[in-house]
Structure formats: structure tokens, C-alpha cells
Amino acid sequence: MLVALALSTLMVQSPPVSQRWPYGETATAAYQRGDSRAASEALKVELARCEASAPKADACLDLLNALTNMLINAGDAAAAVPYGRQALALAQSVLPTGHPDRSVALGNLALALSEQGAWQEAEALFRQALDAERTARPVRTDALARSINNMAAALSERGRLDEALALYQEAVQLIEQGEPVDRDQLAAALGNLGVMLNKLGRYPDADTMLRRALVLTRATKPPTHPAIAYALYRIAANAIDGGQLDTADTLLREARILFEATLSPDHPQVIRVLMSSARLLQDRGNEQEAEPLYRRILAVRIAQLPADHVDVAVAENNLALCLIALGREDEAEMLLRKVLDTYQRRLASDDPRIAQAMSNLGYVLSSQSRYAAAASFYRAALTMRLQVLPAGHPDIAISFSNLAHTLNVMGDLREAETMYRQALFYLEQRLGPDHQTVALVVNNIAHNLAAQKRDKEAIPLYRRALAIFERTYPQGHRSIASTLNNLAFAHDRVGDTVGAEALFRRAVAIRRTYPPGDEDRVDGEWALASHLLKHGVALAEARTLLNLAIDGVGRRVAGFRGYSEPAQRALRIARPAYRRQVEASWRLAAGVR
């Protein structure tokens, strides 16, 4: 599952002009404390005063631009668009061709339109702004870099990742050539480039760029400045994606301390850190601790934004994915259907986020064992992504993989294998042969082949996936343990019982670092115990492992609300574990060791 991260922003600030009407102290104070709604209302008051004063030329232009941006930040892009159009019309009517504020107005209106999903018009405006800056003489490095970044962000949102990457790289090179180098602007450009590399799955490269941005930010800002906290947060978010969870934990704690010392608890930057903190807890299997954070984020979004705002839907989506892990699929399904409805009403019909919502709805249906319905949503997401995303986009591979998994569970193993191999082809083209996401799909193909009783073909694939995970993830990562377990089963089925036991033990050693009720820990103890009983060895140890597994199931079931499908799955593990426990006791009583 993928959870969207708000890691970059479009830079559309207007340079101050002394002859223009000031923003006013009330609006400035509201902006500084992160209250975009209050800032918008204060700017409307100042704009009314400006327009009532029979202004000359462009006196009200800064107010129009600022009001456009504040309404966007407040989640009301629909209200922002008319002010953006008014600002652009004013700038084009009174300012000469090539004036930097014409480009600023173009960028602001484009941003408001893009927030509404009007990507075609937004992209055209971003291009106009960029073309104007490319031809301006003398070259305005800061304005050109800003326009390049805006254009790149727009392309990235449309899934045109390679084009966006090239522009972000151009912006960094442009700023680095300045004399002197604007370190604040370079930090921003490096941060945007790092976020782009993250989207492409190039986590080590992203880390390098984001850490360069942090160094520059520390050099130009006071030690407690929020920009330092934001730079730390972005490195942490990338670390989570790359599986570096301990590193992410340390960085998020530092970022949260800095943010909470300087910003209000409900400031957007604080909420971003909370979002990543919740995701980190979830990735570590601590969904019960993650849920209150997700609910706090959703409550803040609802308080700050319209009920059907896209950012509210994102918060609902993230909460729903956490609820699935907690076994509360009915509540999660209701939220995810609401998310899909919001996206379909608020976004353009070809916006890739609609496909993501379809995919997530397929995920919750699959977790409820409603596989036919899940497959229908997965197919719809795949069809849409093939239509709206560039060839080779990673999300296309994810759709193939999701559909393959569901077909696999439904018993359509041959079609599932075909889908998995399609996913692998896309991912290897995009990410190379040694990426963690490639390893996940390789592992899934191996699992599919094992289900087809083709274990000798599966084993080399399991080993390839394991080698990638061990090279790219920290020791003890869940994917390493899971692949060891799968490989052990395959070795056992081909008759290598000694090799299988060694692999099972390696998996259990990792999983014993998880909480006692963790599903993976229970599965590992159960798998090793079953292997020992099957081959009649170490029966006392097998009984101990079964006791631990049964205790873990009890802890896990206690966390569910009602007799949900995950609770039933947990109990299905417990039943044979009890039988095996009795079997082990009988055999021990009979003198078998």
C-alpha cells in the first residue's frame, strides 16, 4: 500500500513592491502562525480597502496574489481561482511584457487550477511562466528557478516523472552557477530534487540530496527555525520508504521537537510530521498506537478544511489503511468508499489519484476475502493507470502486482503469474534489478510458482529476493524474515529438511524482536514448530513454540473489535496450534524426543 506524502511545495511568492498596498498586520500575523483561513479573511479586508481607494495601476496586485495563495492553503482553491484570474488580468494589463510579476500571477493561477484538478489549463499557464523567464534578459535566476520548479511539480503530479526529474536537476544546476550562490534557494531546489528521487524509488540518491539541503538550511537559519525541522522530516519520510525505520524514528523525534517549539499544534508542518510518525508506527506493526495519530490528523483536517476537500480524503485514506491492519475492515471500507467518491467529484476524471483510491478499495475488499469484488477494482485501477500514466510508471507495476495477488488467492495461478511477470518487467525497467520493490515482486512470483508445485523454480527467486533485501534493508527487517520463511517452506517441500530448519530458525530469530501478539511473530513460531513436529525432532521445543504462538494469538484476538475476518484468521491459526500442542505433549509422554 502506498500512502501519499506531502513532501514538496510549489514556490509562487511575489517579490515585494514598495508602491503596492501592504498585506496588513492582521494578515501577516495570521500567516506567521499558520492560520490560512484567518489570513485570507484579513487579506479580503485589505483588498476591499485597496479597491475602494481608487488605486493606480497595480497597487492591489500583491494582495490579489497573496489572497490566491492563502485560499489555496486554506483548502478553498475554488475561491482562489477568481482572485488568481483577476491578478493575472491586472498584471497583463498594466505591467510590461517580461515583468517578473506577470510570471508570478501565471504561477499562482496555475497552482489554484491544479489544486482543482484542471491540469490541462494549469500546465499551459506554468509553461507560459517558464517560457517568459527563459527569455527574460537579464536572466532572473531566482524567478527562473522558481518557474522550473513549478513546472516540474506539475509534471510530477501528472505522473511524468522523468520530465519532472530533468527540470528539478536543471533548477539545481542553475542555482549552483549563481554568483554568489543563494543558499536558501539551493536548499529548496535540492529538497525538491530529493523528493522527486524518492518518488522514483531512488532512496539513497534522495537521501543524499535531502541531507545536502539540511546542511544548507542549518547554515542559513537559527537552530530552532521550522525550516530545519521540515528538512529533517523529509529525510525521515524518505528513510521510511527505504526501510530505514530506526533512522526515521530519530529524525522524526528531532523534527517534532523543533516544530512544536515554534509552531502551533495544528500547523500543517506539525501535521506532516505526525503523519510520518503514524506511518512509522504502522510499519513497525504498532497500529494501535498509530490509530490515535491518524484520527488526530483527520480531526485537524476536518476543522481546517471543507468536508469534501482532497486533503481530508487523504487523511481518511491513511486512517482506513491503519484500520485494515487492526481488523476493522467494515469501518475502513466505509472510509475508502468516501475517499473514492470525493476524488471522483473533486478531481479531473483522469487524475491518477482516482486509480489509487480504486486500488485501496480493492485492498480492503481483498482483506475481507471478497476477492472477486477486489479484482474488479484492481482491474479498474490498472486500466486507468495504463491510460493516464506514462509507460513504465511504477504505479502501473503496482496495479499488475495487486491484481496478480488477488488472482493468486482466487486460484487463478497462471494468470496471476503472467501479471506478476508484467509487474516485474515494468519495475526492472524503472528501478533496476536490485531495488527493494523489485525484490517484493520476485518474492511474489516465487510464492506463485510454489503454489503451482514448481518449488525448484521458486527457490532461486526466493534467494534473489532475500539477497536484495539483505543488501538494502537493515538487519531484522520484516521482508527479510518473511522471505526466509517462504524459502524454508520451499526447501522442505523439495526434501531439504535440514536446510529448511535452519531457515525457519533464522526467521524466528528476527521475528522474536516483534511484540508478542504480532502476526508475523506468531506465524514464525507456528511454522518452526510445525516443521519440528512433522519431522519428529525437538518436540519439547516445538511444544514451547506452540505455547508462545497460542499466547500470541490470544493477544492479537483481544485487540480486535468483534468477530472480524482478521480475528477469524487468527483463530484459524490457533485451532491447529492447539491440536499440535496436544500432539507434542502425547509424543513427549510416550518418550519421543
Side-chain angles (χ1 to χ4, degrees), residues 567-580:
Q568 294 175 50
R569 284 200 302 269
L571 288 173
R572 283 197 290 270
I573 294 174
R575 293 190 194 104
Y578 279 118
R579 290 197 299 270
R580 288 286 198 175

Side-chain angles (χ1 to χ4, degrees), residues 140-162:
R140 298 184 290 259
T141 302
D142 58 341
L144 176 56
R146 183 168 56 244
S147 290
I148 291 171
N149 274 288
N150 289 346
M151 189 72 249
L155 293 172
S156 175
E157 288 298 320
R158 299 297 290 158
R160 291 153 65 180
L161 305 184
D162 291 329

Side-chain angles (χ1 to χ4, degrees), residues 88-245:
L88 179 58
L90 178 60
Q92 290 178 331
S93 66
V94 302
L95 298 177
T97 300
H99 192 284
D101 285 355
R102 291 177 66 135
S103 297
V104 169
L106 283 165
N108 287 346
L109 176 57
L111 178 56
L113 290 166
S114 66
E115 287 291 313
Q116 288 194 291
W119 286 104
Q120 187 171 358
E121 185 180 0
E123 182 179 337
L125 292 170
F126 278 133
R127 286 198 183 280
Q128 285 184 49
L130 179 55
D131 290 344
E133 291 302 332
R134 287 197 189 282
T135 58
R137 295 295 181 270
V139 174
R140 298 184 290 259
T141 302
D142 58 341
L144 176 56
R146 183 168 56 244
S147 290
I148 291 171
N149 274 288
N150 289 346
M151 189 72 249
L155 293 172
S156 175
E157 288 298 320
R158 299 297 290 158
R160 291 153 65 180
L161 305 184
D162 291 329
E163 295 176 70
L165 176 63
L167 286 172
Y168 280 131
Q169 290 171 329
E170 180 187 351
V172 169
Q173 292 169 1
L174 177 68
I175 298 166
E176 286 178 330
Q177 292 167 3
E179 293 185 6
V181 172
D182 185 327
R183 291 189 293 177
D184 284 333
Q185 195 174 32
L186 180 57
L190 287 167
N192 286 337
L193 177 56
V195 171
M196 187 68 253
L197 291 165
N198 170 276
K199 285 188 175 184
L200 290 164
R202 293 168 56 180
Y203 307 126
D205 292 339
D207 183 74
T208 299
M209 296 301 157
L210 294 171
R211 288 186 184 275
R212 284 184 62 192
L214 174 62
V215 169
L216 287 167
T217 304
R218 287 192 191 278
T220 59
K221 297 289 187 291
T224 59
H225 196 282
I228 295 174
Y230 186 56
L232 289 165
Y233 152 74
R234 292 195 298 189
I235 299 171
N238 181 67
I240 293 173
D241 288 337
Q244 308 293 322
L245 302 187

Side-chain angles (χ1 to χ4, degrees), residues 14-28 42-67 90 101:
S14 174
V17 178
S18 58
Q19 294 83 1
R20 293 182 186 164
W21 196 279
Y23 300 135
E25 293 181 1
T26 303
T28 301
L43 286 168
K44 288 179 184 178
V45 172
E46 293 298 332
L47 178 61
R49 290 174 180 167
C50 179
E51 292 178 332
S53 69
K56 295 180 180 180
D58 59 341
C60 302
L61 183 57
D62 281 356
L63 290 172
L64 288 166
N65 275 323
L67 184 51
L90 178 60
D101 285 355

Side-chain angles (χ1 to χ4, degrees), residues 552-575:
V553 169
R555 291 170 183 262
R556 182 162 178 77
V557 171
F560 293 126
R561 294 183 181 178
Y563 195 51
S564 61
E565 175 59 27
Q568 294 175 50
R569 284 200 302 269
L571 288 173
R572 283 197 290 270
I573 294 174
R575 293 190 194 104

Side-chain angles (χ1 to χ4, degrees), residues 199-504:
K199 285 188 175 184
L200 290 164
R202 293 168 56 180
Y203 307 126
D205 292 339
D207 183 74
T208 299
M209 296 301 157
L210 294 171
R211 288 186 184 275
R212 284 184 62 192
L214 174 62
V215 169
L216 287 167
T217 304
R218 287 192 191 278
T220 59
K221 297 289 187 291
T224 59
H225 196 282
I228 295 174
Y230 186 56
L232 289 165
Y233 152 74
R234 292 195 298 189
I235 299 171
N238 181 67
I240 293 173
D241 288 337
Q244 308 293 322
L245 302 187
D246 290 338
T247 298
D249 189 19
T250 301
L251 292 164
L252 284 173
R253 289 178 190 277
E254 186 178 355
R256 190 168 176 178
I257 290 170
L258 287 174
F259 273 142
E260 291 180 343
T262 56
L263 302 174
S264 67
D266 295 342
H267 192 280
Q269 302 285 38
V270 177
I271 296 304
R272 285 174 179 166
V273 173
L274 288 178
M275 191 182 301
S276 286
S277 298
R279 186 180 163 210
L280 178 61
L281 288 168
Q282 191 173 349
D283 283 359
R284 285 181 156 167
N286 298 331
E287 288 87 0
Q288 290 184 344
E289 294 180 49
E291 183 192 354
L293 287 181
Y294 282 129
R295 290 196 180 278
R296 176 181 165 186
I297 293 164
L298 177 57
V300 171
R301 295 297 197 208
I302 290 173
Q304 294 177 340
L305 302 169
D308 63 345
H309 191 274
V310 169
D311 285 348
V312 173
V314 170
E316 290 169 335
N317 175 81
N318 293 344
L319 173 60
L321 295 176
C322 180
L323 292 174
I324 294 171
L326 287 168
R328 286 144 62 188
E329 285 95 340
D330 290 345
E331 186 179 354
E333 181 187 350
M334 181 176 63
L335 283 169
L336 289 173
R337 288 190 182 278
K338 183 174 180 291
V339 170
L340 179 58
D341 177 67
T342 297
Y343 283 0
Q344 288 176 327
R345 286 187 295 103
R346 294 297 301 268
L347 300 175
S349 60
D350 61 346
D351 193 297
R353 286 173 288 184
I354 295 174
Q356 181 64 56
M358 291 175 178
S359 183
N360 287 345
L361 194 49
Y363 177 67
V364 71
L365 293 170
S366 178
S367 69
Q368 295 171 304
S369 300
R370 295 158 63 186
Y371 298 116
S376 176
F377 277 103
Y378 281 143
R379 286 189 192 278
L382 174 60
T383 299
M384 182 174 180
R385 282 171 167 165
L386 287 169
Q387 291 172 347
V388 305
L389 293 176
H393 193 285
D395 285 356
I396 295 174
I398 290 170
S399 276
F400 275 119
S401 184
N402 288 340
L403 180 56
H405 176 74
T406 302
L407 293 170
N408 211 57
V409 176
M410 293 171 69
D412 194 348
L413 301 180
R414 288 291 187 179
E415 186 180 359
E417 180 187 349
T418 300
M419 292 289 176
Y420 275 134
R421 292 192 184 279
Q422 283 270 52
L424 181 60
F425 171 79
Y426 274 90
L427 288 172
E428 286 183 325
Q429 292 289 313
R430 167 64 64 180
L431 303 175
D434 296 322
H435 194 275
Q436 299 106 314
T437 308
V438 170
L440 285 171
V441 176
V442 169
N443 183 80
N444 288 341
I445 294 174
H447 204 59
N448 171 272
L449 294 173
Q452 296 184 56
K453 304 187 185 304
R454 294 158 61 186
D455 287 295
K456 290 184 178 179
E457 297 175 62
I459 286 173
L461 292 175
Y462 279 135
R463 290 200 173 277
R464 177 187 169 191
L466 179 62
I468 296 172
F469 288 143
E470 289 180 326
R471 283 197 304 271
T472 58
Y473 281 139
Q475 184 179 3
H477 193 276
R478 287 177 182 267
S479 293
I480 296 174
S482 176
T483 307
L484 284 167
N485 222 50
N486 291 338
L487 182 57
F489 278 118
H491 272 272
D492 188 45
R493 286 190 295 267
V494 298
D496 181 10
T497 58
V498 174
E501 181 180 337
L503 292 163
F504 279 128

